[in-house]
Amino acid sequence: MNKLVLAYFLIIINNINCRTEEDEGVKYANRCEVCKILAVELENRLEETGKSHDVIETGYAVDDVKPKKKKEYKKSELRLVESLEGICEKILEYNIHKERTDSTRFAKGMSQTFQALHGLVDKGVKVELGIPYELWDKPSAEITNMKTQCETMLEQNEGDIEDWYFNLQGKVPLKHYLCADRVLDEEESSCLSEKLKGDNGKNVKKNKSEL
């Protein structure tokens, strides 16, 4: 093999090794995006469970001499445990909105791109995406990767979340306490302030998952 051919093959191998996720049309979530959505989903879940006025009993009563302790469910550890259960599974309800460039690209609801493509299919237009039509609405690589990142981040920061839950819930937003102050470096936290905007530059009506 002469030197010219060898150099050619080395260039090809180097280009393959240097290909990034963007080259493949995929851009995975960064730590800021993962933490932001984890915080939003957990606060949403706590808002739901916080509506309960149930009272739970703890401890063991012996011959009814020593009564069990009673505690409001919304202030209990049980509420936190139940709220955290499956929280990262909620990310599978998200879609990637590739028409957006910031953290709002991860949001619930069908993206404008896929709305348009489904519209074409409904009109009888043949659309080839390289994947079967029945897989169009399945979680994308970006979404499944974000779920995995969420599970790791949750496992690594359960203590901080517990501290916030018992001491600062309702006083400090979780995305500030957990993400800005503990998980992220200052240069990583820019996505925390990003919000979905309309064409006129004003915030449009949105659900909390897009904050």
Side-chain angles (χ1 to χ4, degrees), residues 113-158:
T113 302
F114 270 90
Q115 285 178 5
L117 291 173
H118 277 289
L120 290 173
V121 171
D122 291 342
K123 293 177 182 178
V125 178
K126 186 176 181 180
V127 179
E128 292 289 348
L129 294 182
I131 57 174
Y133 178 76
E134 59 269 20
L135 297 180
W136 280 18
D137 299 322
K138 295 292 184 180
S140 67
E142 294 95 332
I143 297 301
T144 54
N145 176 271
M146 177 182 265
K147 174 181 175 289
T148 300
Q149 289 193 65
C150 172
E151 290 167 344
T152 300
M153 188 173 288
L154 179 60
E155 182 179 351
Q156 293 173 342
N157 296 278
E158 279 194 84

Short mmCIF file of all heavy atoms in Angstrom, two decimals, residues 113-158:
data_model
loop_
_atom_site.label_atom_id
_atom_site.label_comp_id
_atom_site.label_asym_id
_atom_site.label_seq_id
_atom_site.Cartn_x
_atom_site.Cartn_y
_atom_site.Cartn_z
N THR A 113 -42.85 20.08 13.17
CA THR A 113 -42.38 19.27 12.04
C THR A 113 -43.23 18.04 11.85
O THR A 113 -43.71 17.75 10.74
CB THR A 113 -40.91 18.86 12.26
OG1 THR A 113 -40.11 20.04 12.41
CG2 THR A 113 -40.40 18.05 11.07
N PHE A 114 -43.46 17.29 12.94
CA PHE A 114 -44.24 16.06 12.82
C PHE A 114 -45.73 16.34 12.62
O PHE A 114 -46.43 15.54 12.00
CB PHE A 114 -44.00 15.15 14.02
CG PHE A 114 -42.86 14.20 13.81
CD1 PHE A 114 -41.58 14.55 14.17
CD2 PHE A 114 -43.07 12.97 13.20
CE1 PHE A 114 -40.51 13.68 13.95
CE2 PHE A 114 -42.02 12.09 12.98
CZ PHE A 114 -40.73 12.45 13.35
N GLN A 115 -46.21 17.45 13.12
CA GLN A 115 -47.59 17.84 12.81
C GLN A 115 -47.76 18.01 11.31
O GLN A 115 -48.74 17.55 10.71
CB GLN A 115 -47.95 19.14 13.54
CG GLN A 115 -48.19 18.97 15.03
CD GLN A 115 -48.50 20.30 15.71
OE1 GLN A 115 -48.62 21.34 15.06
NE2 GLN A 115 -48.61 20.28 17.02
N ALA A 116 -46.79 18.68 10.69
CA ALA A 116 -46.85 18.91 9.24
C ALA A 116 -46.73 17.60 8.47
O ALA A 116 -47.46 17.36 7.50
CB ALA A 116 -45.73 19.87 8.83
N LEU A 117 -45.83 16.72 8.93
CA LEU A 117 -45.65 15.44 8.24
C LEU A 117 -46.88 14.56 8.36
O LEU A 117 -47.31 13.92 7.39
CB LEU A 117 -44.43 14.72 8.82
CG LEU A 117 -43.06 15.35 8.52
CD1 LEU A 117 -41.97 14.64 9.29
CD2 LEU A 117 -42.77 15.32 7.04
N HIS A 118 -47.48 14.51 9.57
CA HIS A 118 -48.72 13.75 9.74
C HIS A 118 -49.82 14.33 8.86
O HIS A 118 -50.65 13.59 8.31
CB HIS A 118 -49.15 13.76 11.20
CG HIS A 118 -48.46 12.73 12.04
ND1 HIS A 118 -48.72 11.38 11.93
CD2 HIS A 118 -47.52 12.84 13.02
CE1 HIS A 118 -47.97 10.71 12.79
NE2 HIS A 118 -47.23 11.57 13.47
N GLY A 119 -49.83 15.66 8.74
CA GLY A 119 -50.83 16.30 7.89
C GLY A 119 -50.68 15.88 6.43
O GLY A 119 -51.68 15.65 5.74
N LEU A 120 -49.45 15.76 5.96
CA LEU A 120 -49.21 15.31 4.59
C LEU A 120 -49.68 13.88 4.39
O LEU A 120 -50.30 13.55 3.37
CB LEU A 120 -47.72 15.44 4.26
CG LEU A 120 -47.16 16.86 4.13
CD1 LEU A 120 -45.64 16.81 3.98
CD2 LEU A 120 -47.79 17.58 2.95
N VAL A 121 -49.38 13.02 5.37
CA VAL A 121 -49.79 11.63 5.28
C VAL A 121 -51.31 11.53 5.25
O VAL A 121 -51.89 10.75 4.49
CB VAL A 121 -49.22 10.81 6.47
CG1 VAL A 121 -49.83 9.41 6.50
CG2 VAL A 121 -47.71 10.73 6.37
N ASP A 122 -51.98 12.34 6.09
CA ASP A 122 -53.44 12.33 6.12
C ASP A 122 -54.04 12.74 4.78
O ASP A 122 -55.17 12.36 4.44
CB ASP A 122 -53.96 13.26 7.23
CG ASP A 122 -53.64 12.73 8.62
OD1 ASP A 122 -53.35 11.53 8.75
OD2 ASP A 122 -53.67 13.54 9.58
N LYS A 123 -53.28 13.53 4.02
CA LYS A 123 -53.75 13.98 2.70
C LYS A 123 -53.37 13.00 1.59
O LYS A 123 -53.62 13.25 0.42
CB LYS A 123 -53.17 15.36 2.39
CG LYS A 123 -53.70 16.46 3.28
CD LYS A 123 -53.03 17.79 2.97
CE LYS A 123 -53.54 18.89 3.91
NZ LYS A 123 -52.86 20.20 3.65
N GLY A 124 -52.73 11.89 1.99
CA GLY A 124 -52.38 10.88 1.01
C GLY A 124 -51.00 11.04 0.40
O GLY A 124 -50.65 10.32 -0.54
N VAL A 125 -50.21 11.96 0.93
CA VAL A 125 -48.86 12.17 0.41
C VAL A 125 -47.93 11.11 1.00
O VAL A 125 -47.96 10.86 2.21
CB VAL A 125 -48.34 13.59 0.76
CG1 VAL A 125 -46.90 13.76 0.25
CG2 VAL A 125 -49.26 14.65 0.18
N LYS A 126 -47.11 10.51 0.18
CA LYS A 126 -46.15 9.51 0.65
C LYS A 126 -44.93 10.22 1.22
O LYS A 126 -44.27 11.00 0.52
CB LYS A 126 -45.75 8.58 -0.48
CG LYS A 126 -44.87 7.42 -0.02
CD LYS A 126 -44.57 6.46 -1.17
CE LYS A 126 -43.71 5.30 -0.68
NZ LYS A 126 -43.40 4.34 -1.78
N VAL A 127 -44.64 9.98 2.48
CA VAL A 127 -43.51 10.63 3.15
C VAL A 127 -42.53 9.55 3.60
O VAL A 127 -42.91 8.62 4.32
CB VAL A 127 -43.97 11.45 4.37
CG1 VAL A 127 -42.76 12.09 5.06
CG2 VAL A 127 -44.96 12.53 3.95
N GLU A 128 -41.28 9.66 3.18
CA GLU A 128 -40.25 8.69 3.55
C GLU A 128 -39.28 9.34 4.53
O GLU A 128 -38.61 10.31 4.19
CB GLU A 128 -39.50 8.21 2.30
CG GLU A 128 -40.33 7.36 1.35
CD GLU A 128 -40.65 5.98 1.89
OE1 GLU A 128 -40.02 5.59 2.90
OE2 GLU A 128 -41.50 5.29 1.30
N LEU A 129 -39.22 8.80 5.74
CA LEU A 129 -38.27 9.30 6.74
C LEU A 129 -37.16 8.30 7.05
O LEU A 129 -36.28 8.59 7.87
CB LEU A 129 -39.01 9.66 8.04
CG LEU A 129 -40.00 10.81 7.99
CD1 LEU A 129 -40.59 11.04 9.38
CD2 LEU A 129 -39.34 12.08 7.48
N GLY A 130 -37.23 7.15 6.43
CA GLY A 130 -36.23 6.13 6.72
C GLY A 130 -36.59 5.25 7.90
O GLY A 130 -35.83 4.37 8.28
N ILE A 131 -37.75 5.52 8.54
CA ILE A 131 -38.24 4.68 9.64
C ILE A 131 -39.72 4.38 9.38
O ILE A 131 -40.42 5.19 8.76
CB ILE A 131 -38.09 5.37 11.01
CG1 ILE A 131 -38.83 6.73 11.02
CG2 ILE A 131 -36.64 5.54 11.38
CD1 ILE A 131 -38.82 7.39 12.39
N PRO A 132 -40.21 3.23 9.84
CA PRO A 132 -41.62 2.89 9.62
C PRO A 132 -42.56 3.94 10.22
O PRO A 132 -42.26 4.52 11.26
CB PRO A 132 -41.77 1.53 10.33
CG PRO A 132 -40.39 0.98 10.40
CD PRO A 132 -39.48 2.16 10.55
N TYR A 133 -43.69 4.14 9.58
CA TYR A 133 -44.65 5.15 10.03
C TYR A 133 -45.09 4.90 11.47
O TYR A 133 -45.25 5.85 12.25
CB TYR A 133 -45.88 5.15 9.11
CG TYR A 133 -46.95 6.13 9.53
CD1 TYR A 133 -46.80 7.50 9.30
CD2 TYR A 133 -48.11 5.69 10.18
CE1 TYR A 133 -47.78 8.39 9.69
CE2 TYR A 133 -49.10 6.58 10.57
CZ TYR A 133 -48.93 7.93 10.32
OH TYR A 133 -49.89 8.82 10.73
N GLU A 134 -45.26 3.61 11.85
CA GLU A 134 -45.74 3.30 13.20
C GLU A 134 -44.72 3.66 14.28
O GLU A 134 -45.06 3.69 15.47
CB GLU A 134 -46.12 1.82 13.32
CG GLU A 134 -45.00 0.85 13.03
CD GLU A 134 -44.93 0.43 11.56
OE1 GLU A 134 -45.48 1.16 10.71
OE2 GLU A 134 -44.32 -0.62 11.30
N LEU A 135 -43.49 3.96 13.89
CA LEU A 135 -42.46 4.35 14.86
C LEU A 135 -42.26 5.86 14.94
O LEU A 135 -41.45 6.33 15.74
CB LEU A 135 -41.12 3.68 14.51
CG LEU A 135 -41.08 2.16 14.55
CD1 LEU A 135 -39.69 1.66 14.18
CD2 LEU A 135 -41.50 1.64 15.91
N TRP A 136 -42.99 6.61 14.15
CA TRP A 136 -42.82 8.07 14.13
C TRP A 136 -43.03 8.68 15.51
O TRP A 136 -42.33 9.61 15.89
CB TRP A 136 -43.81 8.69 13.16
CG TRP A 136 -43.39 8.62 11.72
CD1 TRP A 136 -42.45 7.79 11.17
CD2 TRP A 136 -43.90 9.40 10.65
NE1 TRP A 136 -42.34 8.00 9.82
CE2 TRP A 136 -43.23 8.98 9.47
CE3 TRP A 136 -44.87 10.39 10.55
CZ2 TRP A 136 -43.50 9.55 8.22
CZ3 TRP A 136 -45.15 10.95 9.31
CH2 TRP A 136 -44.46 10.54 8.15
N ASP A 137 -44.01 8.18 16.24
CA ASP A 137 -44.37 8.79 17.52
C ASP A 137 -43.76 8.08 18.72
O ASP A 137 -44.10 8.39 19.86
CB ASP A 137 -45.90 8.85 17.66
CG ASP A 137 -46.54 9.69 16.56
OD1 ASP A 137 -45.94 10.72 16.19
OD2 ASP A 137 -47.62 9.31 16.08
N LYS A 138 -42.86 7.15 18.47
CA LYS A 138 -42.14 6.50 19.56
C LYS A 138 -41.09 7.46 20.11
O LYS A 138 -40.62 8.35 19.40
CB LYS A 138 -41.47 5.22 19.08
CG LYS A 138 -42.44 4.12 18.64
CD LYS A 138 -43.21 3.55 19.82
CE LYS A 138 -44.10 2.40 19.39
NZ LYS A 138 -44.87 1.85 20.54
N PRO A 139 -40.69 7.32 21.39
CA PRO A 139 -39.66 8.20 21.95
C PRO A 139 -38.39 8.16 21.12
O PRO A 139 -37.92 7.10 20.73
CB PRO A 139 -39.43 7.62 23.36
CG PRO A 139 -40.71 6.93 23.69
CD PRO A 139 -41.22 6.37 22.40
N SER A 140 -37.85 9.33 20.85
CA SER A 140 -36.63 9.43 20.05
C SER A 140 -35.41 9.07 20.87
O SER A 140 -35.47 8.90 22.09
CB SER A 140 -36.48 10.86 19.52
OG SER A 140 -36.24 11.75 20.60
N ALA A 141 -34.26 8.98 20.20
CA ALA A 141 -33.00 8.69 20.88
C ALA A 141 -32.70 9.76 21.92
O ALA A 141 -32.19 9.46 23.01
CB ALA A 141 -31.86 8.60 19.86
N GLU A 142 -33.03 11.02 21.60
CA GLU A 142 -32.77 12.11 22.54
C GLU A 142 -33.60 11.94 23.82
O GLU A 142 -33.13 12.22 24.92
CB GLU A 142 -33.09 13.47 21.90
CG GLU A 142 -32.18 13.87 20.76
CD GLU A 142 -32.76 13.50 19.41
OE1 GLU A 142 -33.55 12.53 19.32
OE2 GLU A 142 -32.42 14.18 18.43
N ILE A 143 -34.85 11.50 23.65
CA ILE A 143 -35.76 11.36 24.80
C ILE A 143 -35.35 10.18 25.67
O ILE A 143 -35.30 10.30 26.91
CB ILE A 143 -37.21 11.20 24.32
CG1 ILE A 143 -37.67 12.46 23.55
CG2 ILE A 143 -38.13 10.93 25.50
CD1 ILE A 143 -37.61 13.74 24.35
N THR A 144 -35.06 9.04 25.07
CA THR A 144 -34.67 7.88 25.87
C THR A 144 -33.33 8.12 26.57
O THR A 144 -33.11 7.68 27.70
CB THR A 144 -34.58 6.61 25.00
OG1 THR A 144 -33.71 6.85 23.87
CG2 THR A 144 -35.96 6.23 24.48
N ASN A 145 -32.44 8.87 25.90
CA ASN A 145 -31.16 9.21 26.53
C ASN A 145 -31.38 10.14 27.72
O ASN A 145 -30.74 10.00 28.77
CB ASN A 145 -30.23 9.86 25.51
CG ASN A 145 -28.92 10.32 26.11
OD1 ASN A 145 -28.80 11.45 26.59
ND2 ASN A 145 -27.91 9.46 26.09
N MET A 146 -32.30 11.10 27.57
CA MET A 146 -32.59 12.02 28.66
C MET A 146 -33.17 11.28 29.86
O MET A 146 -32.84 11.59 31.01
CB MET A 146 -33.56 13.11 28.21
CG MET A 146 -33.95 14.06 29.33
SD MET A 146 -35.15 15.32 28.83
CE MET A 146 -34.06 16.66 28.43
N LYS A 147 -34.02 10.29 29.61
CA LYS A 147 -34.59 9.50 30.71
C LYS A 147 -33.46 8.81 31.49
O LYS A 147 -33.47 8.80 32.73
CB LYS A 147 -35.56 8.46 30.16
CG LYS A 147 -36.09 7.48 31.21
CD LYS A 147 -37.03 6.48 30.58
CE LYS A 147 -37.47 5.42 31.59
NZ LYS A 147 -36.39 4.49 31.94
N THR A 148 -32.50 8.23 30.78
CA THR A 148 -31.38 7.56 31.44
C THR A 148 -30.56 8.56 32.25
O THR A 148 -30.16 8.29 33.39
CB THR A 148 -30.49 6.88 30.39
OG1 THR A 148 -31.25 5.92 29.67
CG2 THR A 148 -29.30 6.18 31.05
N GLN A 149 -30.31 9.73 31.68
CA GLN A 149 -29.57 10.77 32.41
C GLN A 149 -30.33 11.21 33.66
O GLN A 149 -29.73 11.47 34.71
CB GLN A 149 -29.33 11.98 31.50
CG GLN A 149 -28.34 11.78 30.39
CD GLN A 149 -27.95 13.11 29.76
OE1 GLN A 149 -27.36 13.97 30.39
NE2 GLN A 149 -28.32 13.27 28.49
N CYS A 150 -31.65 11.32 33.53
CA CYS A 150 -32.50 11.72 34.66
C CYS A 150 -32.37 10.72 35.80
O CYS A 150 -32.23 11.11 36.97
CB CYS A 150 -33.95 11.82 34.19
SG CYS A 150 -35.15 12.10 35.52
N GLU A 151 -32.40 9.44 35.49
CA GLU A 151 -32.32 8.40 36.53
C GLU A 151 -30.98 8.48 37.26
O GLU A 151 -30.93 8.34 38.49
CB GLU A 151 -32.51 7.03 35.87
CG GLU A 151 -33.93 6.80 35.38
CD GLU A 151 -34.06 5.60 34.46
OE1 GLU A 151 -33.03 5.11 33.95
OE2 GLU A 151 -35.20 5.14 34.25
N THR A 152 -29.91 8.73 36.52
CA THR A 152 -28.58 8.86 37.14
C THR A 152 -28.52 10.10 38.02
O THR A 152 -28.03 10.05 39.16
CB THR A 152 -27.49 8.94 36.06
OG1 THR A 152 -27.52 7.75 35.26
CG2 THR A 152 -26.12 9.09 36.69
N MET A 153 -29.03 11.22 37.51
CA MET A 153 -29.01 12.48 38.26
C MET A 153 -29.85 12.38 39.52
O MET A 153 -29.46 12.87 40.59
CB MET A 153 -29.52 13.62 37.38
CG MET A 153 -29.36 15.00 37.97
SD MET A 153 -29.80 16.31 36.79
CE MET A 153 -28.41 16.23 35.65
N LEU A 154 -30.98 11.71 39.43
CA LEU A 154 -31.85 11.54 40.59
C LEU A 154 -31.16 10.70 41.66
O LEU A 154 -31.18 11.05 42.85
CB LEU A 154 -33.16 10.86 40.17
CG LEU A 154 -34.18 10.58 41.25
CD1 LEU A 154 -34.62 11.88 41.93
CD2 LEU A 154 -35.39 9.87 40.67
N GLU A 155 -30.53 9.62 41.24
CA GLU A 155 -29.83 8.75 42.18
C GLU A 155 -28.70 9.49 42.90
O GLU A 155 -28.48 9.30 44.10
CB GLU A 155 -29.27 7.54 41.43
CG GLU A 155 -28.56 6.53 42.33
CD GLU A 155 -28.05 5.34 41.55
OE1 GLU A 155 -28.37 5.21 40.36
OE2 GLU A 155 -27.30 4.53 42.13
N GLN A 156 -28.01 10.36 42.17
CA GLN A 156 -26.86 11.07 42.74
C GLN A 156 -27.26 12.23 43.64
O GLN A 156 -26.43 12.72 44.42
CB GLN A 156 -25.97 11.59 41.60
CG GLN A 156 -25.29 10.48 40.81
CD GLN A 156 -24.55 11.01 39.59
OE1 GLN A 156 -24.79 12.13 39.12
NE2 GLN A 156 -23.63 10.21 39.05
N ASN A 157 -28.51 12.69 43.55
CA ASN A 157 -28.90 13.91 44.27
C ASN A 157 -30.15 13.74 45.13
O ASN A 157 -30.79 14.74 45.47
CB ASN A 157 -29.13 15.04 43.24
CG ASN A 157 -27.87 15.40 42.50
OD1 ASN A 157 -27.03 16.16 42.99
ND2 ASN A 157 -27.72 14.88 41.29
N GLU A 158 -30.49 12.51 45.50
CA GLU A 158 -31.68 12.28 46.32
C GLU A 158 -31.60 13.00 47.66
O GLU A 158 -32.60 13.49 48.17
CB GLU A 158 -31.90 10.79 46.52
CG GLU A 158 -32.58 10.11 45.35
CD GLU A 158 -33.09 8.72 45.68
OE1 GLU A 158 -34.21 8.62 46.23
OE2 GLU A 158 -32.37 7.75 45.41
#
